[in-house]
Amino acid sequence: MAGRTNEARSLAAKGGSEGEGAVLDLQRYFPYRLARLAEQVSLAVAEVYSERFALTRQEWRVLALLGGRSEIATKQVGPLTTLDKMQVSRAMQGLEARGIVTRKSDPDDRRGLIVSLTPTGRALYRKIVPFALARETKLLSVLTAEEAEVLDRAMRKLSAELG
Amino acid sequence: MAGRTNEARSLAAKGGSEGEGAVLDLQRYFPYRLARLAEQVSLAVAEVYSERFALTRQEWRVLALLGGRSEIATKQVGPLTTLDKMQVSRAMQGLEARGIVTRKSDPDDRRGLIVSLTPTGRALYRKIVPFALARETKLLSVLTAEEAEVLDRAMRKLSAELG
DNA sequence: GGCGGATAGTAACATTTGATACTAATTTGG
DNA sequence: CCAAATTAGTATCAAATGTTACTATCCGCC
């Protein structure tokens, strides 16, 4: 461990001493770095669904959610995609207009709607998902198995702390 | 290693076998999880500068950048804050209108402007930064030293892969 | 069993954000 | 040197996003 000269580059490097002359180095500030990375990743994935298939981020989330099941009540979509109800409503309208989903009234709650993928939507899902998964795999392949595991754990911890 | 029953929870869990019936589980999809976490963190930090001091995210970034130096050419702000020139322009206008920064023409390039914090701006910086740093510290304190270190390394690797 | 409050979804409006294109100044290279 | 291409910054318009409030339905409780 003799060569440890640049310790200051790691996370949570404090600025000055205390309270008073505190300095925040943006390039090392964790929230900034995380926002930046998330944006980079988001952009890389958006190439798949946005440029090739003209979906918005919200539409993509809904499609991704729906791919795994035959149908779902619209009211459940928000919590599962981290979209508010207005975003869900607009995403649904967009997807319906393009023939990707259909909506029918929920017999158990006549305020609500039940969404399902059309055959077109299912075909789209099958076309996009392999690319999306490939992006994820390729990206994560720069990490060692141990790094991926710790990253996973760290993200869970941080998310739980804020939830 | 006998108790390893829930391997499927970790990062990069593949869906089905190959190509065909591939399934993407949004809750486990790394780009989604990262976007979600970044949003949570961003929101937590925004409490500091937004609710208390009525700054936008972009204004906050510029302020944070400026706090460390006496002045800077506007054209350097974009690259250092990951904001495009329109966002920088608007943030500057907002900060100037509130007396937080002043701008003067750059004598070396009469198209450009040079920004610096006013005394008011400097006072604001000194008031906000300790809170912002405290948030970061508190958040990262849920991680062990080793987790923080690996997280730092993983973020660098991922960012470099995409940059 | 019906009245008060909650919930699902959307319309309509306000605000933010992004894209385009313009002005003025600078750099390039012929 | 000077015309052509580039750059800094902003105005202007278009699109996306957030906010409020409305309708219809449902739930809980007196």
Side-chain angles (χ1 to χ4, degrees), chain B residues 9-74:
Chain B
R9 297 199 50 164
S10 64
L11 279 179
K14 262 289 210 37
S17 35
E18 274 290 320
E20 210 216 309
V23 167
L24 187 156
D25 182 345
L26 198 59
Q27 304 305 319
R28 291 174 191 170
Y29 189 56
F30 176 69
Y32 173 71
R33 292 219 288 142
L34 184 65
R36 196 163 147 44
L37 176 61
E39 204 180 315
Q40 286 180 289
V41 171
S42 180
L43 219 63
V45 175
E47 278 175 28
V48 171
Y49 60 76
S50 167
E51 293 179 13
R52 295 181 190 227
F53 301 100
L55 294 172
T56 68
R57 177 193 175 93
Q58 293 90 326
E59 288 167 349
W60 155 243
R61 281 196 189 170
V62 171
L63 177 62
L65 175 67
L66 227 47
R69 44 196 101 205
S70 59
E71 60 178 36
I72 189 171
T74 297

Side-chain angles (χ1 to χ4, degrees), chain B:
Chain B
M1 297 288 170
R4 271 304 206 87
T5 55
N6 56 350
E7 217 169 5
R9 297 199 50 164
S10 64
L11 279 179
K14 262 289 210 37
S17 35
E18 274 290 320
E20 210 216 309
V23 167
L24 187 156
D25 182 345
L26 198 59
Q27 304 305 319
R28 291 174 191 170
Y29 189 56
F30 176 69
Y32 173 71
R33 292 219 288 142
L34 184 65
R36 196 163 147 44
L37 176 61
E39 204 180 315
Q40 286 180 289
V41 171
S42 180
L43 219 63
V45 175
E47 278 175 28
V48 171
Y49 60 76
S50 167
E51 293 179 13
R52 295 181 190 227
F53 301 100
L55 294 172
T56 68
R57 177 193 175 93
Q58 293 90 326
E59 288 167 349
W60 155 243
R61 281 196 189 170
V62 171
L63 177 62
L65 175 67
L66 227 47
R69 44 196 101 205
S70 59
E71 60 178 36
I72 189 171
T74 297
K75 65 177 169 188
Q76 303 190 79
V77 173
L80 291 171
T81 54
T82 333
L83 299 173
D84 67 34
K85 65 180 182 172
M86 198 64 239
Q87 291 179 303
V88 172
S89 175
R90 291 203 248 243
M92 289 304 180
Q93 286 175 41
L95 291 172
E96 191 173 45
R98 297 178 54 198
I100 293 166
V101 304
T102 50
R103 293 188 286 179
K104 63 178 185 193
S105 178
D106 183 344
D108 294 343
D109 182 347
R110 299 216 319 280
R111 294 168 304 182
L113 297 171
I114 292 185
V115 212
S116 48
L117 288 179
T118 62
T120 302
R122 211 153 272 288
L124 182 62
Y125 181 85
R126 278 196 298 268
K127 211 174 293 182
I128 295 182
V129 162
F131 288 109
L133 289 174
R135 281 281 157 127
E136 181 193 37
T137 302
K138 176 156 180 285
L139 181 60
L140 292 175
S141 73
V142 306
L143 304 179
T144 67
E146 192 239 352
E147 282 167 350
E149 198 182 316
V150 175
L151 175 59
D152 179 61
R153 185 165 67 244
M155 286 177 69
R156 282 180 201 286
K157 278 185 167 184
L158 293 172
S159 208
E161 170 72 6
L162 295 165

Side-chain angles (χ1 to χ4, degrees), chain A residues 90-111:
Chain A
R90 291 202 247 244
M92 290 302 180
Q93 286 175 42
L95 292 172
E96 191 172 45
R98 296 177 55 199
I100 293 167
V101 304
T102 51
R103 292 187 289 179
K104 63 179 186 193
S105 179
D106 183 343
D108 295 344
D109 181 347
R110 300 217 318 279
R111 294 167 304 182

